[in-house]
Amino acid sequence: MAKDLLFEIGAEEIPAGFLPNIIKQLGELATAALAERHIPHGAVKVYATPRRVALLINDVAERGEDVHETHKGPSVSIAYDADGNATKAAIGFARGKGLDVSELKVVDGYIFAETTTAGLDTKEVLSDVLPSLITGLSFPKSMHWGDLEERFVRPVRWLVALFGQDVVPVTFANVTSTNVSRGHRFLGESELTIGEPKDYVDTLNKNFIMIDQDVRRETIRKQLTELAATKGATVVWDEDLLDEVTFLVEYPTALCGTFDESYLSLPSDCIITPMKDHQRYFPMVDGKGTLLPMFLTVRNGDSKSLEVVAAGNERVLRARLDDAKFFFNEDRKTPLAGRYEALTKIVFQEGLGNLKDKTERLLTLGAALAQEVGFTDTVTLERATHLAKTDLTTGMVSEFTELQGIMGKEYALLDGETPAVGEAIFEQYLPRFAGDILPSTDAGRILSIVDKVDTIVATFSRGLIPTGSQDPYALRRQTIGIINILMDSKWSLSMRLIWLKAMELLGVASEKQEELLGQLENFFILRLKNILLEQGMPYQVVDIVLSQETVTVALAEGLGQALTANRIDENEPLMQAYTRIFNMVKDVTFTGVDESLLKEDSEQALYKAALPVYTTNRNALEAGDYVKAVSLAESLVPYIETFFEHVMVMDKDEAVKQNRLQLLRMTYEVSNLGKLK
């Protein structure tokens, strides 16, 4: 017979940003724990609100399944002597499996032991499993309270552990499990008795706890949409903000507030940022997309006295907007160009100067990158780079750091700078997070890349290389940003040149540059590998792509997609032919073939077939026609097979031997298989 399982951890308010990962972890830990103990079960659901995380598993078996195992022992010749008597090896093997030696079986010359382990009582198992679920959770930050040694994301105040109608004894941080939960802090009962797990959701709903976060999220969306419609407006949606608000409340009620229209004279980002990032409000726009002097927010409670709650939120927002208005007016007294020297007061990194120093490096690095990719509007790039960091000296960005780059663009345009300069200043920080937009202008792409490169190289040069989960300078994110920009731009750029230039500008000692370059390239290639795998490229193809002599992002993506489409790595005759060549020429560098030294018909035939294909392959790669480049290799397979049938590569004549190796090296490079493993 099966029963439902409920395990609720009640705590003080848990940070909203932590809860999605806690939900994921708890579900995975519980599923793995039951599987390890061979306990069958049904659907697993994890619920979370600011004050609780709850695990609900349907149809959990009352006992674990019996486990039948077959264990292979020593060979018969070792297990038994010449007279057929069991040796110490057989006796010891049987004893280790809890069997008598007579119970051993002989199959195909070996002895085997068959054992059965009875399934365990689930309720008893849960007494061990449930505490391990708590301690198995990890958080960005945890805490302990009082004089307790136990740690959790926030102090634990109650535990509910029910298997059917039975309470499972669990103790954590001096809190012992019961069947009593708690309702909404202000609207529900302080103690709720849960009869059995199937009553949990309904019992909490009746006490103003909308426990299912998916239901809660869609309820908030529906309420906000309907409330905006009554104002003739549309919600400016931000899914991340919606998720955050979902985990800030247990019983959502939407409400609308207003602010004075005079604030609309500010740039819209100066209004929206305080709303969203500081107050968790949703802006609204009219049918033309114009920002309205209204906002939506969500209360953790019912509809009682909403006008009072709205007035309180309006008062808080008014103070924020007053700050924004003051900073904006003060900032406008000094143009961005006049703020350049103030960059000397802002430290970039310890031992690596200030932001003026960084800007001067970016000017040189940007010019070098522009030359590599053929960008000619150097006036725009130089001006944008010169002004790129100046908005960091403004009061607006100091108060609302999320506006860096955004206010740089706004102020640049108000100062009379060209739209191209303003856009590049904004785009230098893109992408800011996973899924963010990418720079759309070449000046913005270049500025964004060199800004990230300078930060990455500077940090690596100080020995601060990300390890495990530690990445305080967000170098992984910035590296992924560079890769995504390069993929979007289709620039075939060797990052090696840019890394080296950055090292030179940062004053990295020449004797340390090669080691640092290796660290940077490995870090970059690993990020690129993950991105290619996420695109659905097979592991074998990714390995082939990244084993090329020179890897650029454009080559890796283009060649990888072409190889994936053609899957030449699954073409057995082709792979056999080129693998045989590679084993002979992996240490050979192609310098050219002397046609006069080709004696045999089959090597002459291979040369005549391979030479035009080699030329076509190089041209296709240079033009970015990777599909064509990949399709050429198969045409040479018959010539390769005939060559190996009739030609001895390792000829006694050294010149002939070396020439044949050159022929094979030229032929191999048509394959685009890189350094085969």
PDB file of all heavy atoms in Angstrom, residues 121-147:
ATOM      1  N   ASP A 121      11.527  -0.507   5.878  1.00  0.00           N
ATOM      2  CA  ASP A 121      10.292   0.183   6.221  1.00  0.00           C
ATOM      3  C   ASP A 121      10.444   1.672   5.890  1.00  0.00           C
ATOM      4  O   ASP A 121      11.373   2.333   6.362  1.00  0.00           O
ATOM      5  CB  ASP A 121       9.984   0.000   7.705  1.00  0.00           C
ATOM      6  CG  ASP A 121       8.708   0.711   8.109  1.00  0.00           C
ATOM      7  OD1 ASP A 121       7.628   0.191   7.824  1.00  0.00           O
ATOM      8  OD2 ASP A 121       8.811   1.817   8.686  1.00  0.00           O
ATOM      9  N   THR A 122       9.557   2.196   5.082  1.00  0.00           N
ATOM     10  CA  THR A 122       9.700   3.567   4.580  1.00  0.00           C
ATOM     11  C   THR A 122       9.668   4.597   5.692  1.00  0.00           C
ATOM     12  O   THR A 122      10.456   5.558   5.693  1.00  0.00           O
ATOM     13  CB  THR A 122       8.599   3.871   3.548  1.00  0.00           C
ATOM     14  OG1 THR A 122       8.742   2.977   2.439  1.00  0.00           O
ATOM     15  CG2 THR A 122       8.690   5.304   3.061  1.00  0.00           C
ATOM     16  N   LYS A 123       8.775   4.439   6.653  1.00  0.00           N
ATOM     17  CA  LYS A 123       8.681   5.434   7.722  1.00  0.00           C
ATOM     18  C   LYS A 123       9.992   5.542   8.499  1.00  0.00           C
ATOM     19  O   LYS A 123      10.443   6.639   8.849  1.00  0.00           O
ATOM     20  CB  LYS A 123       7.530   5.094   8.672  1.00  0.00           C
ATOM     21  CG  LYS A 123       7.291   6.170   9.728  1.00  0.00           C
ATOM     22  CD  LYS A 123       6.095   5.841  10.606  1.00  0.00           C
ATOM     23  CE  LYS A 123       5.908   6.908  11.689  1.00  0.00           C
ATOM     24  NZ  LYS A 123       4.764   6.601  12.585  1.00  0.00           N
ATOM     25  N   GLU A 124      10.615   4.378   8.739  1.00  0.00           N
ATOM     26  CA  GLU A 124      11.896   4.402   9.439  1.00  0.00           C
ATOM     27  C   GLU A 124      12.981   5.051   8.574  1.00  0.00           C
ATOM     28  O   GLU A 124      13.816   5.816   9.064  1.00  0.00           O
ATOM     29  CB  GLU A 124      12.311   2.979   9.823  1.00  0.00           C
ATOM     30  CG  GLU A 124      11.412   2.343  10.877  1.00  0.00           C
ATOM     31  CD  GLU A 124      11.875   0.945  11.246  1.00  0.00           C
ATOM     32  OE1 GLU A 124      12.970   0.546  10.770  1.00  0.00           O
ATOM     33  OE2 GLU A 124      11.165   0.256  11.996  1.00  0.00           O
ATOM     34  N   VAL A 125      12.949   4.755   7.285  1.00  0.00           N
ATOM     35  CA  VAL A 125      13.919   5.343   6.363  1.00  0.00           C
ATOM     36  C   VAL A 125      13.760   6.860   6.320  1.00  0.00           C
ATOM     37  O   VAL A 125      14.743   7.614   6.304  1.00  0.00           O
ATOM     38  CB  VAL A 125      13.748   4.755   4.947  1.00  0.00           C
ATOM     39  CG1 VAL A 125      14.552   5.559   3.928  1.00  0.00           C
ATOM     40  CG2 VAL A 125      14.173   3.298   4.920  1.00  0.00           C
ATOM     41  N   LEU A 126      12.520   7.325   6.335  1.00  0.00           N
ATOM     42  CA  LEU A 126      12.266   8.766   6.233  1.00  0.00           C
ATOM     43  C   LEU A 126      12.839   9.541   7.415  1.00  0.00           C
ATOM     44  O   LEU A 126      13.191  10.716   7.279  1.00  0.00           O
ATOM     45  CB  LEU A 126      10.766   9.029   6.114  1.00  0.00           C
ATOM     46  CG  LEU A 126      10.121   8.588   4.797  1.00  0.00           C
ATOM     47  CD1 LEU A 126       8.603   8.803   4.842  1.00  0.00           C
ATOM     48  CD2 LEU A 126      10.719   9.341   3.614  1.00  0.00           C
ATOM     49  N   SER A 127      12.928   8.906   8.557  1.00  0.00           N
ATOM     50  CA  SER A 127      13.501   9.583   9.723  1.00  0.00           C
ATOM     51  C   SER A 127      14.962   9.960   9.483  1.00  0.00           C
ATOM     52  O   SER A 127      15.475  10.910  10.085  1.00  0.00           O
ATOM     53  CB  SER A 127      13.406   8.675  10.962  1.00  0.00           C
ATOM     54  OG  SER A 127      12.060   8.469  11.314  1.00  0.00           O
ATOM     55  N   ASP A 128      15.630   9.198   8.624  1.00  0.00           N
ATOM     56  CA  ASP A 128      17.004   9.531   8.247  1.00  0.00           C
ATOM     57  C   ASP A 128      17.051  10.418   7.005  1.00  0.00           C
ATOM     58  O   ASP A 128      17.883  11.325   6.897  1.00  0.00           O
ATOM     59  CB  ASP A 128      17.813   8.259   7.976  1.00  0.00           C
ATOM     60  CG  ASP A 128      18.004   7.419   9.230  1.00  0.00           C
ATOM     61  OD1 ASP A 128      18.138   8.010  10.320  1.00  0.00           O
ATOM     62  OD2 ASP A 128      18.011   6.183   9.111  1.00  0.00           O
ATOM     63  N   VAL A 129      16.159  10.144   6.057  1.00  0.00           N
ATOM     64  CA  VAL A 129      16.187  10.859   4.778  1.00  0.00           C
ATOM     65  C   VAL A 129      15.805  12.325   4.936  1.00  0.00           C
ATOM     66  O   VAL A 129      16.476  13.225   4.406  1.00  0.00           O
ATOM     67  CB  VAL A 129      15.248  10.183   3.760  1.00  0.00           C
ATOM     68  CG1 VAL A 129      15.026  11.089   2.540  1.00  0.00           C
ATOM     69  CG2 VAL A 129      15.817   8.846   3.320  1.00  0.00           C
ATOM     70  N   LEU A 130      14.724  12.618   5.658  1.00  0.00           N
ATOM     71  CA  LEU A 130      14.218  13.994   5.715  1.00  0.00           C
ATOM     72  C   LEU A 130      15.220  14.980   6.321  1.00  0.00           C
ATOM     73  O   LEU A 130      15.411  16.073   5.776  1.00  0.00           O
ATOM     74  CB  LEU A 130      12.880  14.030   6.461  1.00  0.00           C
ATOM     75  CG  LEU A 130      11.743  13.239   5.789  1.00  0.00           C
ATOM     76  CD1 LEU A 130      10.431  13.419   6.556  1.00  0.00           C
ATOM     77  CD2 LEU A 130      11.563  13.658   4.337  1.00  0.00           C
ATOM     78  N   PRO A 131      15.889  14.639   7.431  1.00  0.00           N
ATOM     79  CA  PRO A 131      16.914  15.581   7.921  1.00  0.00           C
ATOM     80  C   PRO A 131      18.037  15.800   6.906  1.00  0.00           C
ATOM     81  O   PRO A 131      18.586  16.905   6.807  1.00  0.00           O
ATOM     82  CB  PRO A 131      17.449  14.908   9.190  1.00  0.00           C
ATOM     83  CG  PRO A 131      16.357  13.988   9.629  1.00  0.00           C
ATOM     84  CD  PRO A 131      15.721  13.503   8.363  1.00  0.00           C
ATOM     85  N   SER A 132      18.369  14.744   6.155  1.00  0.00           N
ATOM     86  CA  SER A 132      19.446  14.888   5.163  1.00  0.00           C
ATOM     87  C   SER A 132      19.043  15.817   4.030  1.00  0.00           C
ATOM     88  O   SER A 132      19.899  16.426   3.381  1.00  0.00           O
ATOM     89  CB  SER A 132      19.841  13.518   4.604  1.00  0.00           C
ATOM     90  OG  SER A 132      18.841  13.011   3.734  1.00  0.00           O
ATOM     91  N   LEU A 133      17.741  15.938   3.779  1.00  0.00           N
ATOM     92  CA  LEU A 133      17.282  16.878   2.752  1.00  0.00           C
ATOM     93  C   LEU A 133      17.553  18.314   3.180  1.00  0.00           C
ATOM     94  O   LEU A 133      17.915  19.162   2.368  1.00  0.00           O
ATOM     95  CB  LEU A 133      15.781  16.684   2.472  1.00  0.00           C
ATOM     96  CG  LEU A 133      15.347  15.322   1.939  1.00  0.00           C
ATOM     97  CD1 LEU A 133      13.855  15.334   1.629  1.00  0.00           C
ATOM     98  CD2 LEU A 133      16.146  14.945   0.693  1.00  0.00           C
ATOM     99  N   ILE A 134      17.368  18.577   4.473  1.00  0.00           N
ATOM    100  CA  ILE A 134      17.630  19.932   4.975  1.00  0.00           C
ATOM    101  C   ILE A 134      19.117  20.238   4.872  1.00  0.00           C
ATOM    102  O   ILE A 134      19.518  21.281   4.344  1.00  0.00           O
ATOM    103  CB  ILE A 134      17.165  20.082   6.435  1.00  0.00           C
ATOM    104  CG1 ILE A 134      15.686  19.713   6.586  1.00  0.00           C
ATOM    105  CG2 ILE A 134      17.404  21.506   6.920  1.00  0.00           C
ATOM    106  CD1 ILE A 134      15.173  19.795   8.013  1.00  0.00           C
ATOM    107  N   THR A 135      19.931  19.347   5.379  1.00  0.00           N
ATOM    108  CA  THR A 135      21.372  19.604   5.400  1.00  0.00           C
ATOM    109  C   THR A 135      21.990  19.513   4.007  1.00  0.00           C
ATOM    110  O   THR A 135      23.079  20.049   3.774  1.00  0.00           O
ATOM    111  CB  THR A 135      22.083  18.611   6.337  1.00  0.00           C
ATOM    112  OG1 THR A 135      21.780  17.264   5.922  1.00  0.00           O
ATOM    113  CG2 THR A 135      21.615  18.798   7.771  1.00  0.00           C
ATOM    114  N   GLY A 136      21.287  18.861   3.094  1.00  0.00           N
ATOM    115  CA  GLY A 136      21.814  18.726   1.734  1.00  0.00           C
ATOM    116  C   GLY A 136      21.608  19.951   0.873  1.00  0.00           C
ATOM    117  O   GLY A 136      22.229  20.080  -0.185  1.00  0.00           O
ATOM    118  N   LEU A 137      20.744  20.858   1.302  1.00  0.00           N
ATOM    119  CA  LEU A 137      20.494  22.076   0.531  1.00  0.00           C
ATOM    120  C   LEU A 137      21.670  23.035   0.661  1.00  0.00           C
ATOM    121  O   LEU A 137      22.270  23.162   1.729  1.00  0.00           O
ATOM    122  CB  LEU A 137      19.215  22.766   1.010  1.00  0.00           C
ATOM    123  CG  LEU A 137      17.897  22.018   0.787  1.00  0.00           C
ATOM    124  CD1 LEU A 137      16.754  22.718   1.519  1.00  0.00           C
ATOM    125  CD2 LEU A 137      17.587  21.908  -0.698  1.00  0.00           C
ATOM    126  N   SER A 138      21.998  23.708  -0.432  1.00  0.00           N
ATOM    127  CA  SER A 138      23.067  24.718  -0.396  1.00  0.00           C
ATOM    128  C   SER A 138      22.492  26.061  -0.832  1.00  0.00           C
ATOM    129  O   SER A 138      21.557  26.119  -1.632  1.00  0.00           O
ATOM    130  CB  SER A 138      24.225  24.315  -1.312  1.00  0.00           C
ATOM    131  OG  SER A 138      23.794  24.212  -2.653  1.00  0.00           O
ATOM    132  N   PHE A 139      23.070  27.130  -0.296  1.00  0.00           N
ATOM    133  CA  PHE A 139      22.561  28.476  -0.542  1.00  0.00           C
ATOM    134  C   PHE A 139      23.727  29.418  -0.820  1.00  0.00           C
ATOM    135  O   PHE A 139      24.851  29.173  -0.358  1.00  0.00           O
ATOM    136  CB  PHE A 139      21.785  28.997   0.678  1.00  0.00           C
ATOM    137  CG  PHE A 139      20.908  27.969   1.326  1.00  0.00           C
ATOM    138  CD1 PHE A 139      21.307  27.309   2.480  1.00  0.00           C
ATOM    139  CD2 PHE A 139      19.687  27.643   0.772  1.00  0.00           C
ATOM    140  CE1 PHE A 139      20.517  26.355   3.070  1.00  0.00           C
ATOM    141  CE2 PHE A 139      18.878  26.686   1.358  1.00  0.00           C
ATOM    142  CZ  PHE A 139      19.288  26.039   2.510  1.00  0.00           C
ATOM    143  N   PRO A 140      23.471  30.506  -1.543  1.00  0.00           N
ATOM    144  CA  PRO A 140      24.537  31.508  -1.724  1.00  0.00           C
ATOM    145  C   PRO A 140      25.075  32.013  -0.389  1.00  0.00           C
ATOM    146  O   PRO A 140      26.260  32.266  -0.244  1.00  0.00           O
ATOM    147  CB  PRO A 140      23.830  32.623  -2.503  1.00  0.00           C
ATOM    148  CG  PRO A 140      22.718  31.938  -3.229  1.00  0.00           C
ATOM    149  CD  PRO A 140      22.254  30.860  -2.305  1.00  0.00           C
ATOM    150  N   LYS A 141      24.169  32.146   0.572  1.00  0.00           N
ATOM    151  CA  LYS A 141      24.562  32.519   1.930  1.00  0.00           C
ATOM    152  C   LYS A 141      23.672  31.768   2.901  1.00  0.00           C
ATOM    153  O   LYS A 141      22.471  31.653   2.684  1.00  0.00           O
ATOM    154  CB  LYS A 141      24.394  34.026   2.161  1.00  0.00           C
ATOM    155  CG  LYS A 141      25.375  34.890   1.392  1.00  0.00           C
ATOM    156  CD  LYS A 141      25.175  36.368   1.726  1.00  0.00           C
ATOM    157  CE  LYS A 141      26.163  37.239   0.955  1.00  0.00           C
ATOM    158  NZ  LYS A 141      25.979  38.684   1.262  1.00  0.00           N
ATOM    159  N   SER A 142      24.268  31.245   3.976  1.00  0.00           N
ATOM    160  CA  SER A 142      23.478  30.574   5.012  1.00  0.00           C
ATOM    161  C   SER A 142      23.792  31.226   6.347  1.00  0.00           C
ATOM    162  O   SER A 142      24.674  32.081   6.449  1.00  0.00           O
ATOM    163  CB  SER A 142      23.789  29.079   5.048  1.00  0.00           C
ATOM    164  OG  SER A 142      25.160  28.862   5.311  1.00  0.00           O
ATOM    165  N   MET A 143      23.075  30.821   7.391  1.00  0.00           N
ATOM    166  CA  MET A 143      23.276  31.444   8.698  1.00  0.00           C
ATOM    167  C   MET A 143      23.014  30.431   9.802  1.00  0.00           C
ATOM    168  O   MET A 143      22.376  29.399   9.592  1.00  0.00           O
ATOM    169  CB  MET A 143      22.347  32.652   8.848  1.00  0.00           C
ATOM    170  CG  MET A 143      20.861  32.322   8.776  1.00  0.00           C
ATOM    171  SD  MET A 143      19.795  33.788   8.821  1.00  0.00           S
ATOM    172  CE  MET A 143      20.178  34.450  10.434  1.00  0.00           C
ATOM    173  N   HIS A 144      23.539  30.722  10.980  1.00  0.00           N
ATOM    174  CA  HIS A 144      23.136  29.964  12.158  1.00  0.00           C
ATOM    175  C   HIS A 144      22.652  30.980  13.183  1.00  0.00           C
ATOM    176  O   HIS A 144      22.944  32.174  13.095  1.00  0.00           O
ATOM    177  CB  HIS A 144      24.275  29.097  12.692  1.00  0.00           C
ATOM    178  CG  HIS A 144      25.490  29.841  13.122  1.00  0.00           C
ATOM    179  ND1 HIS A 144      25.614  30.401  14.378  1.00  0.00           N
ATOM    180  CD2 HIS A 144      26.641  30.129  12.472  1.00  0.00           C
ATOM    181  CE1 HIS A 144      26.789  30.991  14.473  1.00  0.00           C
ATOM    182  NE2 HIS A 144      27.435  30.849  13.330  1.00  0.00           N
ATOM    183  N   TRP A 145      21.870  30.536  14.136  1.00  0.00           N
ATOM    184  CA  TRP A 145      21.224  31.458  15.054  1.00  0.00           C
ATOM    185  C   TRP A 145      21.314  30.912  16.475  1.00  0.00           C
ATOM    186  O   TRP A 145      21.476  29.709  16.693  1.00  0.00           O
ATOM    187  CB  TRP A 145      19.771  31.714  14.653  1.00  0.00           C
ATOM    188  CG  TRP A 145      18.970  30.462  14.445  1.00  0.00           C
ATOM    189  CD1 TRP A 145      18.101  29.890  15.309  1.00  0.00           C
ATOM    190  CD2 TRP A 145      18.987  29.619  13.277  1.00  0.00           C
ATOM    191  NE1 TRP A 145      17.568  28.741  14.771  1.00  0.00           N
ATOM    192  CE2 TRP A 145      18.093  28.557  13.525  1.00  0.00           C
ATOM    193  CE3 TRP A 145      19.671  29.657  12.058  1.00  0.00           C
ATOM    194  CZ2 TRP A 145      17.860  27.556  12.589  1.00  0.00           C
ATOM    195  CZ3 TRP A 145      19.434  28.665  11.130  1.00  0.00           C
ATOM    196  CH2 TRP A 145      18.544  27.617  11.399  1.00  0.00           C
ATOM    197  N   GLY A 146      21.239  31.828  17.431  1.00  0.00           N
ATOM    198  CA  GLY A 146      21.397  31.423  18.820  1.00  0.00           C
ATOM    199  C   GLY A 146      22.768  30.801  19.022  1.00  0.00           C
ATOM    200  O   GLY A 146      23.773  31.255  18.492  1.00  0.00           O
ATOM    201  N   ASP A 147      22.802  29.741  19.803  1.00  0.00           N
ATOM    202  CA  ASP A 147      24.067  29.037  20.029  1.00  0.00           C
ATOM    203  C   ASP A 147      24.088  27.701  19.287  1.00  0.00           C
ATOM    204  O   ASP A 147      24.831  26.785  19.635  1.00  0.00           O
ATOM    205  CB  ASP A 147      24.288  28.812  21.527  1.00  0.00           C
ATOM    206  CG  ASP A 147      23.141  28.013  22.170  1.00  0.00           C
ATOM    207  OD1 ASP A 147      22.151  27.728  21.452  1.00  0.00           O
ATOM    208  OD2 ASP A 147      23.240  27.693  23.364  1.00  0.00           O
TER     209      ASP A 147
END
